[in-house]
Amino acid sequence: MYPADLVKPMREDLTSIGFQELHTVEDVEKAMELKGTTLVVVNSVCGCAAANARPGARMSLQNTKKPDNLVTVFAGVDKEATDKAREMMVPFPPSSPSMALFKDGELVHMLERHHIEGRPADMIAENLIGAYNEFC
């Protein structure tokens, strides 16, 4: 588990723009019951990928069409919530950071770590925007 002081700015990177943090299995289950589209960001300390994942998620929300619900779990911090969110992302293997778009609880788009790592934030945003335009 990472110290709270270390992850606080990384959490706030998303919560400051409207993402709701999911800390428990119950939080994840309730979020997956929400109607409409839900973007789930598996946040991470990993500098090589998370540094562009969070800005990419932020940039994507400048689009006209965007998810109805924004939620996040933090890998390495909220273990049970992260595990539950990842269960919902099967058949994709666990990775962090990652982002998943759900529509009425059904997974419709997935960005795994290998789609994020080494890519600039605007390319990550473009990928998400494409999904928003199709599903939101």
Side-chain angles (χ1 to χ4, degrees), residues 26-53:
E26 293 78 21
D27 291 344
V28 174
E29 290 171 343
K30 286 178 186 171
M32 290 300 105
E33 292 173 1
L34 296 171
K35 293 295 180 197
T37 51
T38 301
L39 178 64
V40 179
V41 174
V42 178
N43 205 346
S44 172
V45 170
C46 173
C48 59
N52 287 333

Side-chain angles (χ1 to χ4, degrees), residues 51-71:
N52 287 333
R54 289 186 297 269
R58 278 196 319 271
M59 291 170 66
S60 75
L61 298 176
Q62 301 306 308
N63 193 48
T64 304
K65 291 185 176 184
K66 51 191 155 200
D68 300 305
N69 311 292
L70 305 170
V71 299

